[in-house]
Amino acid sequence: MNAFKRLNLGAIDTRHMKQLAILLLVIVTALKALPQTSNRVNISGQIIDKETHNPLSAATVNCLLAKDSTQKTLVFTNKSGIFSLNNLLINNYILHITFLGYESQSIPITVTSEDSIKKIGLIEMKRTGLTLAEIEVVQTKVPVRFTKDTIEFNASLFRTKANAVVEDLLKKIPGIQIDNDGTIRANGKIVQNIMIDGRQLFSGGNPSIISKNLQADLIDKVQLIDRIQDQKNSPGLSNTQNENIINITIKKSKHNLLSGEISASAGTAGRFATKVNLSRFNENQQLMILGDGNNVNGVPDSKNMGSHGVQRSYNGGVSYSNEVSKKMTVGLNYLINDNRVTEKGSSIRNTIINDSNLLYNQETFTEIKNTSHDGSLQFDYKIDSLQSITISQQISLQQISNHFSSSYESTGSHSRKINIGTILNADLNRSSNFSSSLRYDKKFKKKNRFLSITVASGEGYSEDDGVAISKNIYFPINSETISDTINQNTLRKKNSKRLFLMINYTEPISNNGLLELSLVEDYSHNTSDIEVSNFNNHTKLYDIPTDSLSNSFRSTPVQHYAKLSWIYKKDKFDYSVSLASLLFNMKNANITQKEYYSTQSKSLLPEVNFNYLLDTNKKLRFSYRKNQDFPQLSQLQPIRDNSNPLNSKIGNQSLKPMSIHNIDITYNMFNISSLHSFSVNVNGRILRDQILNASWYDSLGRQTDQPININGGYTISINIDNNTPLKSKKSSINFSTKGVINRSMNYTNGTKIFHKDFTFSQSIGFQFEYKELFKCNIAGNLNYNQVVYSTIQSTSFHYFNGAISFTGDLNLPHKIVISTNVNYGWTTGRMEGYNLNPIIVHASISKSLFSHQQGIIKLQGFDLLRQNTNISRIVQNNYIQDTRTNSLQRFFLIGFSYFLGKR
């Protein structure tokens, strides 16, 4: 049977298109069913200085409902001091007007049916220091603030359910999306870190630790920050990067309050889930303690059962920061993770070999046990008002045991069998990494003159002891079968040492301009020793050395880096232009073969950043930068790894660094009064000397890979997000459009082949709330993927998938909540046997207990129809692979949760 006939490349099933059309029709009908507005009025006026009569630009006009002070809308005056409040219903309002340096005013406004446009006229503001009016005005919080690099939301603007966590709050904020795996995106960009009151907990890098464990009712404000990363805070040779983070502030009323959750659940088939998180914050201290254990892939927190295999995990940690005095702050972080994953899977790989195809079928079993410890200690000491020192220490210990077994079969054209066999790999890896740094900062009396010096060192060690056993049978054309057996032990030992020095100096040239100089010296020494021994049937030991597969290798890369930057900042815009010079020198030594050689490269790394606030609610960011990425030690070591006999690998000691040209353009718009957000991000990457694997295949289906440098690769992506609140902002509709074009080159059996990958996805979501009774979320998405390989036949593949989901909560009397989640997914274009259309249904019923709902008892049912599947597709330079693994299926949990800090 021809390889192409085993691919399902038909058009989209019309049944799925009808279901998607029905969903869109339901959403449109629901929107049309919303009450139509009529008899609406526009209110306008102008705000001026009472003495000078000059207009006051950017004054805040907060429109409140007179009867209960509920906020209806908020606007700012333009450069002429004019404001306009649009589409207000007939009612009584209060306009609360504020401007820095002036006394606030409250003006009552009555809107009647006779008004279509209500002009207030001039509103005169008095400077502070004059007698206040007799009316007492209660201070109001501005719900949203918008600056060049930050959008700040008042958390009280978004109502969450009782005992919600930060993740529930973030889902309600316009512009934020949270994937099923917990990844947080702000305007389409991945959020790298969540900070609390400007401080970093658990050493950062894993925002879900905070989003899934911190209580939402502690939060006062949420800040979305998109800015250029300060290189002084991130030592390294890469040029500065965009930093996308979230900073949340804690309510003053919640200071010194111990809050958190303690919960335990047990269920069918031996399933369990436990969780403890405790936190306490004040102006000087931050404390967070975490602990959890479960064997349900973390489902109670994420509602996502799609993790590969079945996972049992125990995790814990503590993060503590204390300003022990006005001069010293101490920070301590520790995390421990103990995970075990068992996975059964099957896969089909279609490999493109010039003008032919190779189909590889595999059945696998994998068991991975992973235990890790990560800790850090940091001291910040202020010598005086101008000088400070930061000392930090990090340690990481990890042990991974991996057991992998598979049976495989490869076929070629006309279903001709090429090889069959079994593979068994077992290895134990232990690694440790230590690093420390000392940073000295000095401010000068001259404003913006600054000096920073960082000295860092690190050392890492890893040892991997593995056994590879395989039995393989090959079927040559017009020849007898060939068989071979591999039974060998491989011991890999790696050691790395690093010394790093960075000096940054900033000199103000004008009121708005800065000149910054950065000098870096980065020295590393890496060793890799590989010892391979075959099994001795007489001694029953691995004591037969295999010199051809053993090797000792040394690599010493040294990098000299100098960067000069011009930085200019104004209220409405800022920009920076820089040019860096990078001298890279790497000495390699193949001790086994007694070969010594060195590689040198010189690069100029330009960078441009521009950030412009177009209006009070619109901003534009542009950046261009050139970076370099350096080869890894495993890619350099010129030794063959044949632990997988069908896919052996060999290093390339002649690899050069890869250059990356990156262009990024982002436009953000946020309407403060309507909470409508819109963002567009366009990103382009051009790769020079890209490090990719060249592949060789023999007539028996055996593959050999070697990394090489190759040109011609690029990636272009666009991401559009649009979130529009409806009516009273309790309902919203959002659209997300994504497109990616990726082009990459490779060599297969000496022939240059390019592969172009085009992906398009469209999603729509509708959130609706009805009073306190009901809320739901309806979402749909459609994804299309086309892959083209420039073989003789110009092979192309098309792949569609989509999903429709419904999530709803029904609040009943006596604090009872019924929740359900239904997800229907479909695919077409995958390989035979991998196009499934599952319906996943979860449901729960819960009851809150005690006066402040501190307790919850909940019964949950997951995958009630037993249709949960886990299928994924991998697209690489010369193959496409569809994989299906076992996953959790129907089970029930009953549990109790108690929440601290409720009052």
Side-chain angles (χ1 to χ4, degrees):
M1 183 177 183
N2 190 280
F4 293 107
K5 294 182 179 180
R6 303 189 63 176
L7 299 176
N8 185 353
L9 302 179
I12 303 178
D13 193 326
T14 56
R15 182 179 75 256
H16 303 310
M17 291 300 295
K18 290 179 180 179
Q19 291 166 341
L20 183 59
I22 290 172
L23 171 66
L24 295 175
L25 181 60
V26 169
I27 294 173
V28 172
T29 303
L31 293 177
K32 289 185 176 181
L34 293 174
Q36 301 299 310
T37 60
S38 61
N39 297 326
R40 291 184 177 267
V41 177
N42 296 339
I43 300 176
S44 64
Q46 184 182 23
I47 300 176
I48 62 174
D49 184 292
K50 185 174 182 178
E51 294 181 359
T52 65
H53 295 283
N54 292 327
L56 299 181
S57 172
T60 303
V61 181
N62 198 355
C63 181
L64 310 174
L65 200 59
K67 64 179 181 180
D68 58 6
S69 295
T70 300
Q71 183 190 54
K72 302 307 293 180
T73 186
L74 180 141
V75 297
F76 297 94
T77 57
N78 62 18
K79 61 182 180 181
S80 300
I82 297 173
F83 67 90
S84 180
L85 305 168
N86 301 322
N87 296 322
L88 292 177
L89 289 171
I90 296 172
N91 218 320
N92 295 324
Y93 298 97
I94 294 177
L95 300 187
H96 184 65
I97 303 171
T98 57
F99 191 76
L100 185 63
Y102 288 79
E103 298 173 9
S104 59
Q105 285 196 38
S106 287
I107 302 175
I109 299 292
T110 299
V111 175
T112 66
S113 58
E114 298 177 356
D115 297 319
S116 60
I117 299 177
K118 195 174 186 69
K119 295 183 178 180
I120 302 176
L122 295 177
I123 301 174
E124 297 179 340
M125 299 282 287
K126 296 180 181 180
R127 292 184 179 273
T128 54
L130 300 179
T131 305
L132 293 175
E134 294 181 0
I135 183 172
E136 180 180 358
V137 178
V138 178
Q139 183 179 2
T140 62
K141 295 184 178 180
V142 177
V144 183
R145 293 185 185 274
F146 194 93
T147 66
K148 289 197 302 286
D149 58 13
T150 303
I151 304 177
E152 179 184 276
F153 299 91
N154 195 311
S156 61
L157 193 64
F158 308 97
R159 185 174 55 191
T160 57
K161 61 184 179 181
N163 303 314
V165 294
V166 167
E167 183 176 86
D168 299 314
L169 173 63
L170 295 179
K171 288 179 179 179
K172 291 181 172 291
I173 294 179
I176 292 185
Q177 306 88 31
I178 300 182
D179 299 341
N180 287 334
D181 62 1
T183 300
I184 303 172
R185 301 177 189 271
N187 297 316
K189 297 182 179 180
I190 294 178
V191 173
Q192 292 93 358
N193 192 11
I194 293 182
M195 305 179 75
I196 299 179
D197 290 330
R199 299 183 189 179
Q200 189 169 269
L201 272 70
F202 293 106
S203 299
N206 189 354
S208 62
I209 291 181
I210 305 298
S211 65
K212 292 181 180 297
N213 291 284
L214 190 65
Q215 302 301 302
D217 60 4
L218 299 176
I219 310 307
D220 184 30
K221 295 182 179 64
V222 177
Q223 297 173 327
L224 308 185
I225 302 172
D226 182 13
R227 63 188 179 193
I228 300 299
Q229 188 179 35
D230 186 354
Q231 189 173 352
K232 296 184 291 296
N233 293 324
S234 180
L237 287 181
S238 296
N239 285 17
T240 52
Q241 302 289 336
N242 281 351
E243 185 179 29
N244 208 21
I245 64 175
I246 291 177
N247 180 56
I248 56 181
T249 62
I250 304 298
K251 297 175 181 176
K252 299 288 185 182
S253 60
K254 298 292 186 177
H255 280 188
N256 298 312
L257 180 69
L258 182 65
S259 65
E261 175 187 358
I262 301 173
S263 65
S265 302
T268 58
R271 302 299 174 198
F272 72 91
T274 61
K275 181 178 181 179
V276 175
N277 61 66
L278 302 172
S279 60
R280 188 181 69 182
F281 304 95
N282 59 37
E283 294 179 354
N284 299 321
Q285 293 184 354
Q286 293 186 337
L287 173 65
M288 198 166 181
I289 301 174
L290 306 177
D292 71 78
N294 69 81
N295 61 356
V296 292
N297 294 10
V299 170
D301 281 337
S302 65
K303 301 293 187 297
N304 173 34
M305 300 175 65
S307 298
H308 289 201
V310 178
Q311 178 175 327
R312 187 273 300 151
S313 64
Y314 296 105
N315 308 291
V318 59
S319 184
Y320 176 70
S321 176
N322 185 18
E323 188 177 337
V324 294
S325 68
K326 292 183 178 181
K327 288 194 171 185
M328 178 174 285
T329 300
V330 179
L332 171 68
N333 297 282
Y334 172 71
L335 279 173
I336 179 173
N337 298 280
D338 186 294
N339 302 315
R340 184 186 68 195
V341 179
T342 56
E343 177 183 306
K344 295 179 181 179
S346 61
S347 63
I348 299 179
R349 176 183 295 185
N350 187 2
T351 303
I352 313 299
I353 306 176
N354 298 342
D355 59 344
S356 63
N357 294 70
L358 175 68
L359 282 181
Y360 176 78
N361 288 265
Q362 183 178 217
E363 300 287 335
T364 64
F365 173 81
T366 305
E367 183 179 59
I368 301 175
K369 298 179 180 179
N370 183 355
T371 302
S372 64
H373 303 263
D374 295 280
S376 65
L377 182 63
Q378 180 169 310
F379 296 90
D380 294 290
Y381 181 73
K382 296 181 180 179
I383 301 173
D384 52 38
S385 61
L386 299 177
Q387 302 179 87
S388 65
I389 293 177
T390 300
I391 302 173
S392 63
Q393 302 279 338
Q394 294 85 31
I395 181 172
S396 175
L397 305 173
Q398 187 174 45
Q399 177 175 296
I400 303 175
S401 65
N402 186 358
H403 180 275
F404 171 82
S405 61
S406 76
S407 59
Y408 68 86
E409 176 183 285
S410 300
T411 57
S413 300
H414 308 292
S415 299
R416 183 183 72 83
K417 187 180 294 186
I418 296 179
N419 56 56
I420 61 173
T422 60
I423 298 173
L424 172 65
N425 291 335
D427 63 83
L428 177 65
N429 178 277
R430 297 185 179 91
S431 63
S432 60
N433 290 279
F434 305 88
S435 63
S436 59
S437 65
L438 171 65
R439 172 177 160 178
Y440 169 75
D441 292 330
K442 179 176 177 58
K443 297 179 181 179
F444 294 85
K445 292 183 179 180
K446 185 176 182 179
K447 185 180 179 181
N448 292 327
R449 180 179 288 173
F450 184 80
L451 173 67
S452 176
I453 301 174
T454 300
V455 180
S457 65
E459 182 171 357
Y461 176 79
S462 69
E463 179 178 300
D464 188 283
D465 192 356
V467 172
I469 303 173
S470 65
K471 297 180 180 180
N472 317 286
I473 301 176
Y474 306 96
F475 303 93
I477 300 177
N478 302 324
S479 178
E480 296 182 356
T481 60
I482 300 173
S483 62
D484 66 23
T485 300
I486 294 176
N487 189 354
Q488 65 185 27
N489 171 256
T490 302
L491 179 63
R492 296 179 175 87
K493 295 182 180 180
K494 295 181 180 180
N495 188 278
S496 62
K497 296 181 179 180
R498 184 190 184 197
L499 291 174
F500 179 89
L501 171 65
M502 178 169 65
I503 301 174
N504 283 279
Y505 177 74
T506 302
E507 177 66 28
I509 303 300
S510 64
N511 291 335
N512 303 105
L514 304 171
L515 199 62
E516 183 174 86
L517 175 65
S518 300
L519 301 174
V520 176
E521 186 89 3
D522 194 353
Y523 169 88
S524 297
H525 181 69
N526 308 304
T527 68
S528 177
D529 298 316
I530 300 177
E531 299 177 6
V532 179
S533 302
N534 286 327
F535 186 74
N536 190 328
N537 289 316
H538 296 289
T539 63
K540 306 301 180 184
L541 299 172
Y542 291 95
D543 56 8
I544 303 177
T546 306
D547 295 337
S548 62
L549 301 179
S550 302
N551 182 261
S552 291
F553 191 77
R554 306 290 181 266
S555 177
T556 306
V558 181
Q559 300 167 63
H560 309 274
Y561 178 85
K563 177 180 176 182
L564 185 63
S565 304
W566 167 251
I567 303 168
Y568 189 84
K569 295 182 179 182
K570 294 280 285 186
D571 293 337
K572 287 285 188 178
F573 69 93
D574 59 68
Y575 69 88
S576 66
V577 180
S578 65
L579 182 64
S581 173
L582 176 62
L583 174 61
F584 175 75
N585 184 9
M586 181 172 60
K587 296 181 180 179
N588 293 334
N590 187 343
I591 305 299
T592 303
Q593 301 297 327
K594 297 183 179 180
E595 296 176 348
Y596 305 91
Y597 64 96
S598 63
T599 300
Q600 284 188 348
S601 67
K602 297 179 181 179
S603 302
L604 292 178
L605 306 178
E607 180 179 350
V608 177
N609 295 288
F610 179 75
N611 190 20
Y612 183 56
L613 191 63
L614 298 170
D615 203 345
T616 55
N617 61 347
K618 299 174 185 177
K619 61 182 178 180
L620 178 69
R621 180 187 294 277
F622 168 83
S623 68
Y624 163 77
R625 63 178 61 90
K626 178 185 177 183
N627 290 339
Q628 283 205 312
D629 199 4
F630 302 95
Q632 300 176 3
L633 183 60
S634 59
Q635 296 173 315
L636 293 168
Q637 191 165 9
I639 192 68
R640 182 179 294 272
D641 177 2
N642 69 341
S643 55
N644 182 348
L646 292 187
N647 188 5
S648 59
K649 298 178 175 61
I650 185 170
N652 180 1
Q653 56 191 9
S654 300
L655 285 178
K656 297 182 293 184
M658 175 174 67
S659 297
I660 306 168
H661 299 265
N662 190 89
I663 298 176
D664 190 270
I665 304 173
T666 301
Y667 169 79
N668 286 330
M669 185 281 292
F670 191 89
N671 190 309
I672 296 176
S673 60
S674 67
L675 300 186
H676 171 219
S677 69
F678 177 79
S679 68
V680 180
N681 175 253
V682 180
N683 182 269
R685 286 160 50 92
I686 300 175
L687 308 176
R688 302 287 297 177
D689 292 321
Q690 186 178 5
I691 300 176
L692 294 172
N693 284 330
S695 303
W696 291 266
Y697 295 84
D698 62 18
S699 60
L700 302 180
R702 293 175 296 194
Q703 173 184 350
T704 300
D705 289 337
Q706 184 179 39
I708 62 171
N709 293 108
I710 190 168
N711 294 323
Y714 64 80
T715 300
I716 301 174
S717 65
I718 182 170
N719 188 91
I720 303 173
D721 286 290
N722 186 22
N723 184 283
T724 305
L726 305 174
K727 201 179 177 182
S728 60
K729 305 184 183 68
K730 293 182 180 179
S731 302
S732 65
I733 186 168
N734 59 77
F735 297 87
S736 180
T737 304
K738 299 179 182 179
V740 180
I741 299 176
N742 179 69
R743 186 178 188 267
S744 186
M745 311 292 294
N746 78 303
Y747 281 91
T748 301
N749 286 356
T751 301
K752 189 175 183 179
I753 297 175
F754 79 82
H755 121 269
K756 184 176 289 186
D757 184 2
F758 170 71
T759 302
F760 174 82
S761 64
Q762 177 66 58
S763 64
I764 179 173
F766 175 61
Q767 297 179 358
F768 174 75
E769 290 187 27
Y770 179 71
K771 298 183 179 180
E772 300 290 336
L773 178 64
F774 175 72
K775 66 177 180 180
C776 70
N777 188 340
I778 303 173
N781 66 76
L782 175 66
N783 305 291
Y784 168 73
N785 177 252
Q786 180 189 33
V787 183
V788 178
Y789 293 98
S790 66
T791 60
I792 295 175
Q793 299 177 353
S794 188
T795 311
S796 65
F797 302 92
H798 304 266
Y799 165 57
F800 292 89
N801 75 313
I804 300 173
S805 66
F806 171 85
T807 302
D809 292 330
L810 179 63
N811 297 311
L812 300 177
H814 308 293
K815 300 178 182 178
I816 295 175
V817 179
I818 297 177
S819 301
T820 184
N821 177 269
V822 182
N823 188 293
Y824 169 69
W826 60 270
T827 60
T828 183
R830 285 177 178 163
M831 287 178 257
E832 185 178 345
Y834 289 79
N835 292 297
L836 301 181
N837 307 316
I839 300 177
I840 312 299
V841 180
H842 308 318
S844 69
I845 181 171
S846 63
K847 177 175 172 55
S848 297
L849 305 174
F850 312 128
S851 58
H852 296 289
Q853 303 186 50
Q854 302 100 313
I856 294 180
I857 185 168
K858 180 183 290 188
L859 174 63
Q860 299 170 279
F862 299 93
D863 188 24
L864 300 181
L865 302 182
R866 293 183 64 87
Q867 294 191 22
N868 187 38
T869 58
N870 187 24
I871 299 178
S872 60
R873 166 162 283 202
I874 300 174
V875 177
Q876 293 293 333
N877 291 327
N878 65 335
Y879 71 82
I880 293 177
Q881 177 174 304
D882 288 333
T883 302
R884 179 177 180 177
T885 59
N886 68 314
S887 54
L888 283 173
Q889 289 194 327
R890 185 170 60 200
F891 68 95
F892 297 87
L893 286 177
I894 184 169
F896 175 77
S897 300
Y898 186 82
F899 297 86
L900 293 81
K902 306 300 176 182
R903 62 186 184 187

